[in-house]
Amino acid sequence: MEEIQSQSDNYRSSSSSASSPVSRVPSSNFFYLRKPGSLRQPISFEDSPDWEETDIDVRIEEGGDSINAATTPASPSLSKLNSCSLPSPPLPEGAGVGRKISGAYIAWKDLTVTIKGKRKYSDKVVKSSNGYALPGTMTVIMGPAKSGKSTLLRALAGRLHRSAKMYGELFVNGTKSRMPYGSYGFVEKETTLIGSLTVREFLFYSALLQLPGFFFQKKNVVEDAIHAMSLSDYANKLIGGHCYMKGLPNGERRRVSIARELVMRPQILFIDEPLYHLDSAPASLVRASVLLMLSLRLLSLLIASFSVSALLMMVTLKKLASTGCTLVFTINQSSTEVFGLFDRICLLSNGNTLFFGETLACLQHFANAGFPCPIMQSPSDHFLRAINTDFDRIIAMCKNWQDDQGEFSSVNMDTAVAIRTLEATYKSSADAAAVETMIMRLTDKEGPSLKSKGKASNLTRIAVLTWRSLLVMSREWKYYWLRLILYMLLAVCIGTVFSGLGHSLSSVVTRVAAVFVFVSFTSLLSVAGVPALMREVKIYNSEESNYHSGAFVFLLGQLLSSIPFLFLISISSSLVFYFLIGLRDEFRLLMYFVLNFFMCLLVNEGLILVMASLWRNIFWIVLTLVSAHVLMMLSAGYFRIRNALPGPVWTYPLSYIAFHTYSIQGLLENEYLGSSFAVGEVRNITGYQALHSAYEISSNTHAKWKNLLVLFLMVVAYRIIVFVLLRFRVGKFMSLRKGFRCNRDMKD
């Protein structure tokens, strides 16, 4: 503590000299830039304000459900916070949403989250955190990267990963209970939207998936969500973002993802980084400005564009909080105007709580610890500057650069010392005691329990997903329209290469080659559908994480919606190929050919879904898929008769799991069983005899239907595998694929 006190005193003295209008010596605890042409004259700040104590009066109304947090007016000196800057924007007139939300409050005590290591729970990501969130307020969890913000938010929402373990107490309306479905919403940092739908369509289908009831009721809910997030001007515009669609700006896309959760009218809303991609001054931008020495004018223009979007987002959330909703979200940094909209702040660094309380009281806390916020600096920038160890590297780099110019930098503050000073000051402060007192009051009396709002039935969800997928597939050309064109071109190419074969005995071997090439190449061409099915799986993961969908519902809806397009592909490609190579001109044989090829496409679709469920990288999906097709082509019985294949690998199991084998056998049996070929003038041989030496088929006239049945069973089997992967691997055992990345992400 003596070391902390000495370095803190040194910091106070240097800060005082920096703020003195006489000396104008740069503060030793801030990274500063010099104006071009004035290398000898550093940039200085105005006098730091003297923060006065802010009295917080918290009272719980007896006999009522509401909780009021009253704060005395800020001292006049606090008005200096926005000196030379715009004041915090008031809510626009008439911006409030007419429908009020019954409030719910949460409180957490001694909350600790650990991540499972190799042997035991040892890595504490959040350490003994205390806090609360009240109805109608915005509680922000702030801190630098890897400080535990997202982990604390997930712990409060009950969304922790299986590799994480939570200790401590969590209260909802004064009771230790889990929040039921529909009473809260959780918005991920990265959400998957459907670009081919308009904002209104996307929210309407989301409402159908989440809510029970009638259609007209859900339309009213959707309109309320659009109004709440100020999306009225974009309601009929496509979300876009891929293919040929320009898409909505990042700010509006982020508001759409929040509006999706608002259709449930949750009482508590958790948002992970609402300003993601909208930060007022992203860290990467600041690093780029330092490393590349961008001009201050260019940097200011870039930051201004981010500030406007961030401010609009936070004003919208403030409007939402005014309806009574409890908002808890994480944020990396904010401008002064955005900071003025927050009600409470939970400041974290390396899992430790450095402060929890009113936003203005946080400024007083930093001043008490010896780190007053300069007038010309954003409070959030000042907080992160004091506790972010990444700035030490920037300072070291700038110090070396200035030393090379013949100057010695006075920037020498140790961030670790600042963190320890702030933590020690907070633990012994009246703010920490006030938080504990408030938690005791909130948990002393049980409030009304939150009730589940009910879910849409599985039958309704299947119908909604089927119709939505049909709409999406019909609008996006890369789903099936592109594949239809590619299959047609391939059928024309193969058909013209093998055209004019005739019906002599010598044409049998060539026609077998044509059928093999058609089945194998069309199956290999199915990789064109990988991006579309990857998006389907991503959308499922996004909806399943919020309990909007399920594995069975997703698979059945995807299957039903893909059947019309796959049948269109199969019948168009089959007709071209069938007549170009001159197969037998009988309607029943043509229909079997179409049905066989249709089943082949369904099996391909299932195989792609399996790969998309196993991997998340398109490179590995395509590589695995192509490798599997090559192995199945080699074991399909064309290059070598099936009975002559080596036993251990190629016969068992490859030749039996290769759907190429059953498809080709069925097509050849359909063509040659029941036919005959003349050998000379007096002798005829059956089609089975003519084909037996070129490809192995069965002489049973019903064998082709057995092959078709095997293909159908493969369609079912692949869907069952996908169901298992989505239900257990993706949902519960995702650590097998993402375990190495999870421990790193959960510390944010």
Side-chain angles (χ1 to χ4, degrees), residues 5 192 203 310 318 333 418 435 507 509 516 538 577 610 633 658 692 694:
Q5 186 65 32
T192 303
L203 296 179
K318 188 69 175 180
Q333 66 181 128
V435 171
S507 66
V509 177
F516 172 79
K538 288 181 180 179
F577 175 80
V610 171
M633 289 165 59
H692 188 66

Side-chain angles (χ1 to χ4, degrees), residues 331-351:
I331 199 169
N332 196 27
Q333 66 181 128
S334 66
S335 62
T336 305
E337 293 79 14
V338 170
F339 182 82
L341 297 174
F342 302 152
D343 294 297
R344 290 176 186 84
I345 180 173
C346 178
L347 191 61
L348 297 180
S349 179
N350 196 26

Side-chain angles (χ1 to χ4, degrees), residues 356-496:
F356 183 90
E358 305 291 334
T359 52
L360 295 181
C362 187
L363 292 167
Q364 176 67 55
H365 168 65
F366 269 72
N368 293 339
F371 309 104
C373 179
I375 295 177
M376 299 298 295
Q377 189 170 13
S378 168
S380 65
D381 290 342
H382 174 70
F383 299 158
L384 295 181
R385 168 61 191 89
I387 65 177
N388 193 350
T389 56
D390 289 340
F391 277 97
D392 291 341
R393 292 180 294 176
I394 299 178
I395 292 172
M397 180 182 63
C398 293
K399 179 180 178 180
N400 295 334
W401 176 70
Q402 289 181 346
D403 290 343
D404 292 339
Q405 301 295 324
E407 302 178 23
F408 185 79
S409 173
S410 59
V411 181
N412 53 15
M413 188 190 85
D414 188 357
T415 305
V417 174
I419 293 174
R420 292 197 297 268
T421 304
L422 289 168
E423 183 181 5
T425 304
Y426 173 69
K427 288 182 178 179
S428 60
S429 67
D431 296 313
V435 171
E436 294 180 359
T437 303
M438 184 62 181
I439 293 176
M440 291 181 59
R441 293 181 179 179
L442 292 175
T443 58
D444 199 21
K445 181 180 178 181
E446 294 186 2
S449 59
L450 302 181
K451 297 180 181 180
S452 177
K453 299 182 179 179
K455 299 181 180 179
S457 64
N458 286 336
L459 187 61
T460 300
R461 288 182 171 182
I462 292 173
V464 171
L465 285 179
T466 301
W467 183 254
R468 187 184 71 178
S469 298
L470 281 171
L471 183 61
V472 171
M473 293 171 184
S474 63
R475 289 181 179 179
E476 295 195 16
W477 57 269
K478 73 174 184 179
Y479 262 79
Y480 289 105
W481 301 121
L482 176 63
R483 293 171 64 182
L484 174 63
I485 297 174
L486 293 177
Y487 275 78
M488 289 286 291
L489 291 177
L490 181 62
V492 170
C493 293
I494 298 175
T496 52

Side-chain angles (χ1 to χ4, degrees), residues 64-66 102-105 172-175 267 445-451:
D65 299 334
S66 62
S102 58
Y105 60 89
V172 181
N173 278 357
T175 61
Q267 295 165 285
K445 181 180 178 181
E446 294 186 2
S449 59
L450 302 181
K451 297 180 181 180

Side-chain angles (χ1 to χ4, degrees), residues 343-655:
D343 294 297
R344 290 176 186 84
I345 180 173
C346 178
L347 191 61
L348 297 180
S349 179
N350 196 26
N352 298 305
T353 302
L354 304 185
F355 179 80
F356 183 90
E358 305 291 334
T359 52
L360 295 181
C362 187
L363 292 167
Q364 176 67 55
H365 168 65
F366 269 72
N368 293 339
F371 309 104
C373 179
I375 295 177
M376 299 298 295
Q377 189 170 13
S378 168
S380 65
D381 290 342
H382 174 70
F383 299 158
L384 295 181
R385 168 61 191 89
I387 65 177
N388 193 350
T389 56
D390 289 340
F391 277 97
D392 291 341
R393 292 180 294 176
I394 299 178
I395 292 172
M397 180 182 63
C398 293
K399 179 180 178 180
N400 295 334
W401 176 70
Q402 289 181 346
D403 290 343
D404 292 339
Q405 301 295 324
E407 302 178 23
F408 185 79
S409 173
S410 59
V411 181
N412 53 15
M413 188 190 85
D414 188 357
T415 305
V417 174
I419 293 174
R420 292 197 297 268
T421 304
L422 289 168
E423 183 181 5
T425 304
Y426 173 69
K427 288 182 178 179
S428 60
S429 67
D431 296 313
V435 171
E436 294 180 359
T437 303
M438 184 62 181
I439 293 176
M440 291 181 59
R441 293 181 179 179
L442 292 175
T443 58
D444 199 21
K445 181 180 178 181
E446 294 186 2
S449 59
L450 302 181
K451 297 180 181 180
S452 177
K453 299 182 179 179
K455 299 181 180 179
S457 64
N458 286 336
L459 187 61
T460 300
R461 288 182 171 182
I462 292 173
V464 171
L465 285 179
T466 301
W467 183 254
R468 187 184 71 178
S469 298
L470 281 171
L471 183 61
V472 171
M473 293 171 184
S474 63
R475 289 181 179 179
E476 295 195 16
W477 57 269
K478 73 174 184 179
Y479 262 79
Y480 289 105
W481 301 121
L482 176 63
R483 293 171 64 182
L484 174 63
I485 297 174
L486 293 177
Y487 275 78
M488 289 286 291
L489 291 177
L490 181 62
V492 170
C493 293
I494 298 175
T496 52
V497 168
F498 292 95
S499 61
L501 296 179
H503 294 278
S504 62
L505 183 61
S506 60
S507 66
V508 173
V509 177
T510 308
R511 191 168 277 112
V512 169
V515 173
F516 172 79
V517 170
F518 178 74
V519 173
S520 300
F521 282 24
T522 51
S523 300
L524 196 59
L525 197 60
S526 64
V527 296
V530 169
L533 291 178
M534 279 187 65
R535 285 189 53 82
E536 290 282 343
V537 175
K538 288 181 180 179
I539 293 171
Y540 159 77
N541 288 331
S542 177
E543 294 178 339
E544 193 272 340
S545 63
N546 287 333
Y547 310 105
H548 300 169
S549 180
F552 175 75
V553 172
F554 162 71
L555 286 176
L556 194 54
Q558 193 278 334
L559 176 63
L560 294 177
S561 60
S562 64
I563 284 177
F565 296 95
L566 292 178
F567 188 77
L568 177 62
I569 292 175
S570 64
I571 194 171
S572 58
S573 303
S574 298
L575 286 174
V576 173
F577 175 80
Y578 195 91
F579 291 107
L580 280 179
I581 68 170
L583 297 179
R584 293 165 62 184
D585 191 8
E586 296 184 25
F587 181 77
R588 61 182 181 87
L589 300 182
L590 173 61
M591 286 297 99
Y592 178 86
F593 191 99
V594 172
L595 188 60
N596 184 294
F597 185 52
F598 172 65
M599 285 295 174
C600 190
L601 292 179
L602 285 177
V603 175
N604 260 310
E605 198 90 347
L607 182 59
I608 298 175
L609 283 173
V610 171
M611 300 304 173
S613 302
L614 285 173
W615 307 104
R616 288 294 178 269
N617 188 290
I618 190 171
F619 171 78
W620 291 109
I621 294 177
V622 173
L623 180 63
T624 309
L625 192 63
V626 171
S627 301
H629 278 297
V630 170
L631 292 176
M632 287 189 286
M633 289 165 59
L634 292 174
S635 59
Y638 174 74
F639 298 102
R640 190 174 183 183
I641 298 298
R642 188 176 177 185
N643 289 335
L645 290 172
V649 176
W650 295 103
T651 303
Y652 305 100
L654 283 179
S655 64

Side-chain angles (χ1 to χ4, degrees), residues 106 108 133 137-141 153 156 268-272 326-330:
I106 59 175
W108 59 98
T137 62
M138 297 169 57
T139 303
V140 57
I141 304 173
L153 187 74
L156 298 179
I268 306 174
L269 183 61
F270 302 93
I271 310 176
D272 194 3
T326 304
L327 288 181
V328 184
F329 54 88
T330 62

